[in-house]
Amino acid sequence: MGETKPVGKKQKFIFVTGGVLSGVGKGISAASIGAVLQAKGLSVSIQKCDPYLNVDAGLLNPAEHGECFVTIDGAETDLDLGHYERFLDLELTQKNATLSGKLMQNLIADERAGKFGGKTVQLVPHLTGAIQDAITEAADGADVHIVEIGGTVGDYEGLSFVEAIREFAGRVGRENCLYVHVVYVPFISTSKEFKTKPAQNALMDLRGFGIVPDCVIVRTDTPAPDSVARKISMFSGVNQDAVVLLSNASTVFEVPMTIAKSGVHDAISQFTGNIKKPKLAKWEKIVTAHTAKHRKSVSVGLVAKYVDNEDTYISVLEALKAAGWQEGVGVDIHWINAETANKKDFDKVDALLVPGGFGGRGIPGKIAAAKYALEYKKPYLGLCLGLQVAVIASARRAGLKTANSTEFDADTKNNVVYIMEGQEGKESTGGTLRLGNYDAKLIRDTRTAKTYGATKVTERHRHRYEVNQAFTDAIEKGGLMISGTSPNGKLVEFVEAIDHPYMLATQAHPELKSRPNRPHPLFVGLVRAVKR
Ligand code: GLN
């Protein structure tokens, strides 16, 4: 293993772990620290280590784990990578998502290939060594590399990661490592007090694994008094200045500013030797746009299967918000349950959005939404599955009553969406989708090309089925035209409605490329189409 791999001398590593419970904003904290470092002029890279045994996040239930975020090179990852991209404006890759399953798979393959020369293969040092190698690789020459460890410290499955980041200090020097622990402090409403005990125990657990944190971020639902920080400082031995109280923010993009004002900033300034004041204008602008009182709001109906589950559609929601901030309007999301969706639901909103999805549940409602958008000229944005249901709706309008995707009706003769030749037989396993960046050429003067302001675009994909171009005539007769394809013309990448205020759909996931300060043009287009 590569225990002796050289590491750039001055490179700094920040490790973000969590205690008490997960899902309280460790990812946002890690990303916000990165944003502050960038604002101080440092280059930053970032990585998520997930201790569960999945090889990637592709087959995880989105209702439980949230959205599956896809990188440019096609890694199916945890939604935290989406936060990282939005906060740091980076395009991450496979190496920024490290999962136990992937590392173990490689280790076992190496063992089978006889690469260990008779040694006993063990979690320590082999898995911990592989984790450290993965960290070194992802660090990629940046001034500061941030590593977030998923789950909470003490979880059985995460122990190798905690041990690996402890050992890492031996590799690169303790002075080049900063450990940040994010804990949750609940407010007990009956006694009206914040309870720090679980956080104290979580810090004790971390110390038990040989890591004394340099900073503690204390998450609370409502603002907590300084006495909470004092108590945590006393019980953890962490200087009170480095214990930061972070209550829920009105927008997550406020967190970099909170971090910049806090003791964490002093700690990272000292740690990196960079004492510059961070330039936070970008974040100030976003927060101002977010808190502005709008004269006008637009409503977007999100026709979805996992209703009310924001994490499942987080990048879509962030892209809509960002478009609203740029356009100076509020965007109200109306969740429309795809399983019961009908005309009454569609009537109530200014625009419809059908996001990505897999499987047959809720498909009739999504097709109905697309049909409604075509017939009533309601602005519509279709993302991946949202394109496929639009194509089905259009072909059905043209008289092909059984038009369908073979994903939902394997035997339909009118397979307007299907698995292309050469792709069959790969339907049931993970990692067999069209994933990551693909180029597309757009037809000049279409609304799609005009909305992008370009005729060549690159977008990220995550899907298996494609539009069947044998049905182009029927699709056009029903009201849609193909406005963009793969460079060789074989794959349909974009469709748009003919003679319609704004109905655009893409086989890709443009939401993944949207940034809070640079919303994606297709989302801006939707918001513009409805703001009057
Ligand atoms: N289920 C569809 C496919 O596999 C769409 C996938 C998606 O929306 N990401 O092609």
Side-chain angles (χ1 to χ4, degrees):
M1 305 309 300
E3 284 96 328
T4 52
K5 257 192 188 173
V7 173
K9 239 197 186 151
K10 284 197 204 108
Q11 199 162 25
K12 299 282 182 183
F13 295 84
I14 297 182
F15 296 101
V16 181
T17 51
V20 183
L21 41 101
S22 64
V24 290
K26 203 159 20 99
I28 301 289
S29 303
S32 298
I33 292 173
V36 174
L37 289 163
Q38 277 184 341
K40 286 161 78 67
L42 294 161
S43 67
V44 174
S45 59
I46 190 161
Q47 171 181 24
K48 174 90 193 265
C49 290
D50 265 315
Y52 39 74
L53 287 179
N54 299 65
V55 172
D56 61 40
L59 298 177
L60 289 171
N61 179 354
E64 249 174 65
H65 278 264
E67 157 189 282
C68 171
F69 190 84
V70 184
T71 60
I72 50 173
D73 61 345
E76 295 179 274
T77 74
D78 184 88
L79 65 103
D80 274 319
L81 268 82
H83 293 313
Y84 301 165
E85 289 209 358
R86 284 186 287 275
F87 275 85
L88 303 177
D89 205 356
L90 299 171
E91 289 205 308
L92 303 170
T93 61
Q94 303 271 356
K95 64 181 186 321
N96 302 97
T98 303
L99 283 88
S100 261
K102 190 156 73 176
L103 296 178
M104 294 238 194
Q105 197 181 41
N106 293 342
L107 265 188
I108 292 167
D110 283 352
E111 189 274 335
R112 290 292 78 193
K115 291 192 187 163
F116 288 97
K119 276 194 208 147
T120 311
V121 183
Q122 294 176 297
L123 292 180
V124 183
H126 299 105
L127 181 61
T128 51
I131 294 168
Q132 292 178 67
D133 289 348
I135 292 171
T136 306
E137 196 195 335
D140 209 18
D143 295 332
V144 186
H145 181 55
I146 301 172
V147 183
E148 179 194 349
I149 309 293
T152 48
V153 169
D155 294 347
Y156 204 64
E157 58 191 2
L159 298 181
S160 308
F161 284 90
V162 177
E163 170 60 12
I165 61 168
R166 186 194 68 77
E167 286 175 20
F168 202 83
R171 241 194 220 206
V172 300
R174 178 64 176 88
E175 70 284 7
N176 294 316
C177 297
L178 187 90
Y179 295 92
V180 180
H181 200 45
V182 181
V183 293
Y184 179 68
V185 169
F187 181 74
I188 307 299
S189 57
T190 43
S191 58
K192 298 201 172 27
E193 54 180 343
F194 287 94
K195 286 291 191 188
T196 60
K197 182 71 84 188
Q200 291 172 33
N201 289 342
L203 283 152
M204 211 152 69
D205 285 344
L206 186 64
R207 280 206 313 273
F209 294 114
I211 297 174
V212 179
D214 301 290
C215 293
V216 180
I217 293 180
V218 183
R219 288 282 297 110
T220 53
D221 293 343
T222 52
D226 280 346
S227 56
V228 167
R230 207 174 316 126
K231 203 158 176 190
I232 287 179
S233 161
M234 190 167 78
F235 281 95
S236 64
V238 176
N239 194 324
Q240 193 184 327
D241 292 342
V243 178
V244 174
L245 302 173
L246 199 66
S247 60
N248 287 355
S250 78
T251 160
V252 291
F253 300 116
E254 212 177 295
V255 180
M257 296 189 319
T258 313
I259 298 268
K261 277 187 249 146
S262 76
V264 174
H265 180 249
D266 302 328
I268 59 178
S269 296
Q270 202 175 24
F271 172 61
T272 55
N274 176 315
I275 50 157
K276 280 190 200 140
K277 209 169 160 263
K279 294 199 174 102
L280 296 165
K282 169 178 162 183
W283 305 108
E284 281 156 13
K285 222 171 133 188
I286 293 168
V287 174
T288 307
H290 177 79
T291 46
K293 294 260 174 293
H294 297 296
R295 269 179 297 119
K296 167 117 195 118
S297 280
V298 299
S299 59
V300 177
L302 190 66
V303 189
K305 206 159 64 169
Y306 304 105
V307 184
D308 260 345
N309 190 333
E310 293 202 357
D311 274 359
T312 308
Y313 305 101
I314 181 120
S315 292
V316 174
L317 297 172
E318 288 295 340
L320 283 170
K321 278 189 224 164
W325 295 334
Q326 181 185 293
E327 292 304 304
V329 291
V331 178
D332 297 331
I333 305 296
H334 290 228
W335 294 86
I336 299 179
N337 185 342
E339 288 188 83
T340 54
N342 61 50
K343 182 173 177 300
K344 273 197 210 120
D345 300 318
F346 309 146
D347 280 340
K348 282 186 206 144
V349 292
D350 298 325
L352 290 165
L353 191 154
V354 178
F358 290 80
R361 190 154 66 84
I363 291 299
K366 293 183 181 181
I367 297 174
K371 179 167 177 261
Y372 179 99
L374 277 167
E375 280 167 10
Y376 293 89
K377 298 198 187 294
K378 178 86 73 175
Y380 175 102
L381 180 60
L383 309 172
C384 204
L385 180 64
L387 174 140
Q388 298 174 355
V389 294
V391 164
I392 296 167
S394 192
R396 287 187 185 174
R397 285 185 78 215
L400 299 181
K401 294 285 172 245
T402 61
N404 216 330
S405 162
T406 52
E407 183 178 7
F408 318 123
D409 179 358
D411 303 319
T412 179
K413 288 211 172 52
N414 294 313
N415 55 346
V416 295
V417 178
Y418 72 149
I419 291 201
M420 288 182 98
E421 229 171 287
Q423 286 191 300
E424 298 101 331
K426 290 182 172 178
E427 296 90 76
S428 60
T429 48
T432 59
L433 302 132
R434 182 149 80 98
L435 288 166
N437 266 2
Y438 283 86
D439 296 336
K441 58 170 190 204
L442 309 180
I443 297 176
R444 205 171 287 284
D445 294 331
T446 54
R447 183 175 292 279
T448 309
K450 284 185 192 153
T451 305
Y452 269 103
T455 52
K456 271 193 201 157
V457 297
T458 305
E459 292 288 358
R460 292 186 216 173
H461 291 63
R462 178 174 183 249
H463 65 109
R464 191 170 284 124
Y465 295 82
E466 305 284 351
V467 173
N468 185 347
Q469 294 195 63
F471 291 94
T472 303
D473 288 349
I475 295 166
E476 282 204 7
K477 206 172 141 207
L480 283 183
M481 69 170 282
I482 293 168
S483 51
T485 63
S486 55
N488 66 7
K490 287 204 172 131
L491 305 171
V492 172
E493 293 283 15
F494 292 90
V495 299
E496 66 180 52
I498 304 156
D499 188 24
H500 190 289
Y502 189 88
M503 182 170 184
L504 242 74
T506 167
Q507 194 56 81
H509 287 281
E511 69 274 20
L512 305 179
K513 278 180 79 170
S514 189
R515 298 290 183 256
N517 61 333
R518 210 172 54 252
H520 192 284
L522 295 190
F523 288 82
V524 174
L526 184 74
V527 168
R528 278 192 189 157
V530 286
K531 91 170 196 201
R532 263 152 271 154

